[in-house]
Amino acid sequence: MNRIKSAIISVFISTLTLSAQTVSLQQVADQMAADPVFSQALAGICVISADGTSIARVNSGKMMVPASNMKLITTGAALHELGGEYRFETSIGYDGEIEEGTLKGNLYIIGGGDPTLGSKDSIAVVLEKTFSQWEHIVRSAGIKEIEGHVVGDGRWMDGMMEEPTWLWNDIGTYYGSGATGLMFYENMQSFSVSPGDEVGKPVMIKPSYPSCPWMDFRYTCTTGKAGTGDMLYMYTSDLYPTAEIRGTFGIDRGSKRVDCSNKFPEYTCAEYFTIYLRKHGIGCAEGAADFKLYTEWEPKGEIQIIGKTSSPSLRRIAFETNHASNNLYSETLFR
């Protein structure tokens, strides 16, 4: 990677020099593609002016996998269609009736596709602030106690949350988690990982954040030889709350955080907001629920919306999508 960076920088400097000698951009592009650093690779270059005129092309007829360059198309299309100030909304609502401060029904967190909700990303609203806003909405409706559940409602997006053509081991990683109507912590589950004291011994793993006590985590991974690196993969599905981490973790690796996929972000969000409400004096008799994992409850009529909060602007989300090559943000914009 450092050799490629050096090649690009050197060609950029050459471009400045050659530009002063009125050498065409096509010649510069040809020189870049011919650099030895790309001898074992297939590189393509396309430069088009604002009026559509082709200025330089290299291998323009070759079919290549665009990889994360595709995010440029996705974010551009989203900005064109929705506008830079578009914001995803998360709604708070309830069913049943409010009687003397007691909600005789369920409280709902209704997702609107905000991929930054609960995220550690610098552009995201701090979770404590979001929960405080939701608490204010609840109190403003006159709710001081909840007899039913706090329900995570992610039905805004239907169908499978992940891309079905991906490999199973990729689907279990943080970058393959997939988008949902109600997301939380970028639909990730973090683990603290460190190698055993001998090759072949179990890897020491402990879930860190978020806490998902409904999950049955299983570990069949072992400590690998020095130099083998991190080859841990989680195998999981939203069909059942069981996940297994397999593979090896090099004995020479230090302790680290490993981010995997959380297939139940709606329930996770509801669980954490339930805990927040209880700490702030609003009890919830039945605890958290969702439409996917927890089914032992019945909605009590139509949901009444009592307030909404908004995501950062699409302009900021689009920038961060490309800056950090964030798969979840991009998948959300695409869907």
Side-chain angles (χ1 to χ4, degrees):
M1 182 60 72
N2 288 333
R3 289 182 62 217
I4 294 174
K5 288 180 179 178
S6 297
I8 293 173
I9 292 171
S10 63
V11 171
F12 176 72
I13 294 172
S14 298
T15 301
L16 297 179
T17 304
L18 291 169
S19 296
Q21 301 172 2
T22 66
V23 174
S24 73
L25 191 58
Q26 180 64 56
Q27 289 175 289
V28 175
D30 290 337
Q31 177 185 339
M32 177 181 288
D35 191 283
V37 75
F38 295 118
S39 61
Q40 302 299 314
L42 181 61
I45 299 172
C46 181
V47 183
I48 301 175
S49 67
D51 64 4
T53 302
S54 176
I55 300 174
R57 289 176 180 268
V58 175
N59 287 330
S60 60
K62 298 287 187 180
M63 295 184 68
M64 306 181 201
V65 178
S68 285
N69 288 315
M70 194 65 192
K71 291 183 174 71
L72 296 169
I73 307 300
T74 302
T75 52
L79 288 167
H80 176 77
E81 181 69 20
L82 301 173
E85 292 308 310
Y86 177 85
R87 296 171 191 270
F88 297 94
E89 292 184 337
T90 304
S91 303
I92 303 298
Y94 71 90
D95 62 21
E97 301 293 335
I98 302 172
E99 297 180 7
E100 298 181 352
T102 298
L103 171 58
K104 295 183 179 298
N106 305 294
L107 186 74
Y108 292 81
I109 308 168
I110 305 170
D114 178 4
T116 70
L117 181 60
S119 170
K120 58 181 171 41
D121 198 304
S122 60
I123 71 167
V125 178
V126 176
L127 184 60
E128 185 80 11
K129 180 178 179 180
T130 297
F131 280 177
S132 177
Q133 292 172 325
W134 292 353
E135 178 197 357
H136 178 73
I137 292 170
V138 171
R139 291 189 185 277
S140 295
I143 299 172
K144 300 178 182 178
E145 193 77 16
I146 302 168
E147 277 194 356
H149 295 87
V150 172
V151 182
D153 186 346
R155 294 176 294 172
W156 190 76
M157 284 188 188
D158 57 6
M160 293 179 64
M161 63 185 292
E162 63 274 308
E163 167 52 47
T165 62
W166 279 44
L167 296 174
W168 192 13
N169 56 352
D170 280 330
I171 288 174
T173 63
Y174 73 93
Y175 56 79
S177 57
T180 49
L182 179 62
M183 290 174 258
F184 187 82
Y185 189 57
E186 296 187 29
N187 294 356
M188 292 193 308
Q189 169 72 56
S190 295
F191 295 82
S192 298
V193 177
S194 57
D197 56 6
E198 292 181 19
V199 173
K201 289 288 186 70
V203 177
M204 292 178 281
I205 304 181
K206 182 179 179 181
S208 54
Y209 181 83
S211 174
C212 300
W214 53 87
M215 288 296 300
D216 175 19
F217 290 119
R218 303 173 183 179
Y219 312 109
T220 57
C221 43
T222 57
T223 302
K225 296 179 180 179
T228 56
D230 177 1
M231 296 297 291
L232 299 177
Y233 289 95
M234 175 185 278
Y235 294 81
T236 185
S237 165
D238 62 353
L239 299 176
Y240 200 75
T242 297
E244 183 170 283
I245 296 181
R246 306 169 184 168
T248 60
F249 191 71
I251 193 168
D252 56 337
R253 303 282 294 189
S255 298
K256 64 175 291 189
R257 187 188 80 193
V258 172
D259 294 328
C260 299
S261 175
N262 177 10
K263 296 303 181 184
F264 303 97
E266 306 95 332
Y267 192 43
T268 309
C269 184
E271 173 78 1
Y272 271 79
F273 187 49
T274 299
I275 293 170
Y276 178 92
L277 288 177
R278 285 172 174 163
K279 286 182 178 179
H280 290 79
I282 300 178
C284 178
E286 299 296 329
D290 72 352
F291 281 90
K292 187 164 59 179
L293 177 63
Y294 198 100
T295 58
E296 297 177 4
W297 61 280
E298 290 292 335
K300 302 180 185 299
E302 185 178 349
I303 300 174
Q304 301 183 57
I305 304 300
I306 54 178
K308 298 180 179 182
T309 54
S310 299
S311 73
S313 69
L314 179 57
R315 180 176 288 105
R316 295 184 69 195
I317 293 173
F319 174 85
E320 189 63 17
T321 300
N322 292 310
H323 177 258
S325 192
N326 189 305
N327 281 13
L328 181 71
Y329 289 4
S330 183
E331 183 68 15
T332 302
L333 300 185
F334 177 77
R335 294 189 66 178

